[in-house]
Amino acid sequence: MVNIKDNFLQSIGNTPLIKLKAASEITGCNIYGKAEYLNPGGSVKDRAALALIKDAEEKKLISKGGMIVEGTAGNTGIGLCLLGNSLGYKTTIVMNDNQTQEKKDTLINIGADLRLVPPKPYSDDGNYVKVAGRLAEELKNSNNYGVVWANQFDNTANAKGHYETTGPEIWDQTEGKVDGFVCASGTGGTIGGISSFLKEKNKDVKIYLSDPAGSALYNFIENGELKSEGGSITEGIGSSRVTANFAEAKIDGAFSIDDHESLPLLYNLIKEEGLSLGTSCGVNIAGAIRLGKLIGPGKTIVTILCDKSDKYNSKMFNKKFLQEKGLPTPSWI
């Protein structure tokens, strides 16, 4: 069968499900990862980028020669920049300076105007999301073709994109036999859109948040309180607030996952299943295993394989860094 795409945009989505052998054996369930790292920009965030740009175009906020501004941990910025390049938009990205060098280099190498800022809590005006919003306003006077703040956290076009694409794909790929879905939340778009779609199809599908230590969302779901404990080396997931996209999510419960639980899963996947995945994937897979143990054997559970490990080499495979933090290391380094 001929599979030809007319452009870059058409290659986003329709990613396969991959059975996770060890996770399935541990639980007696069929645990599948949706291989979002196969999107052309290398992550699940290509879907959000496409949805946010389509929304801006439909609202006539931008035309060729215009500019997209966004605050990001990296992956959404990469998606926005590559899509922007293909559509004739310039891209300015605001990112915390503590993100991996690999992501900074990627953004610079694909032509983004990268602005690094020190990490600040959302309550601070210096927070990267707020800086991006202000910067977009400032730049509007300098571009006649439109300057758009993508606002991935609170622009619900993000969740809508997953409701219209990722959710239906999971439903079709499992032939409607999905019993559980679990993933982390950064913006809330992925879990917001997918959970809404799956719950509409079958209200009994169990939806669980897998939250990294240091995020406040686990306590919010379980106890109704935005309170964080501990910390994690994962990037791009976890939150201190309920975003507009996360508010759309239909969630039954949550798991708190620390790096001691997630990192060994990632190292075993590389060694035994040939999957070299990013840090948030470890949180997702740990959550899928927890959900499998909770709902019992024989069930079908899906999670998201967000991106690959190459964006996190300087953390995941840095023995000194890991040992200083008291974290597990891969056996081969």
Side-chain angles (χ1 to χ4, degrees), residues 65-125:
M67 181 182 288
I68 302 156
V69 180
E70 184 58 321
T72 169
N75 278 331
T76 304
I78 292 166
L80 286 169
C81 186
L82 291 171
L83 279 162
N85 290 349
S86 71
L87 294 166
Y89 307 138
K90 298 180 180 74
T91 312
T92 297
I93 298 299
V94 180
M95 190 164 80
N96 284 340
D97 60 15
N98 65 343
Q99 302 300 287
T100 62
Q101 192 62 42
E102 293 91 330
K103 287 194 282 194
K104 295 172 193 171
D105 290 344
T106 298
L107 283 161
I108 292 165
N109 292 343
I110 60 176
D113 175 7
L114 180 61
R115 315 281 184 97
L116 296 174
V117 296
K120 301 281 185 186
Y122 187 75
S123 57
D124 193 298
D125 283 345

Side-chain angles (χ1 to χ4, degrees), residues 135-184:
L135 184 59
E137 281 301 314
E138 290 165 15
L139 292 169
K140 279 181 179 174
N141 296 327
S142 63
N143 191 306
N144 296 325
Y145 302 101
V147 175
V148 171
W149 176 32
N151 192 14
Q152 59 174 325
F153 293 89
D154 294 305
N155 181 346
T156 54
N158 179 352
K160 183 169 176 267
H162 287 285
Y163 175 87
E164 292 176 347
T165 67
T166 329
E169 287 171 31
I170 290 169
W171 184 259
D172 291 344
Q173 287 169 317
T174 59
E175 298 177 329
K177 295 182 175 69
V178 58
D179 300 293
F181 174 77
V182 57
C183 81

Side-chain angles (χ1 to χ4, degrees), residues 10 45 48 63 74 116 130-131 177 204 228 248 256 314 316:
Q10 290 179 6
K45 295 297 189 175
S63 59
L116 296 174
K130 294 181 177 178
V131 171
K177 295 182 175 69
D204 295 325
S228 64
E248 306 246 312
S256 180
S314 56
M316 283 181 66

Side-chain angles (χ1 to χ4, degrees), residues 216-227 229 254:
L217 297 179
Y218 166 78
N219 266 314
F220 177 75
I221 295 296
E222 291 295 307
N223 307 310
E225 182 186 8
L226 279 166
K227 180 184 168 190
E229 295 167 17

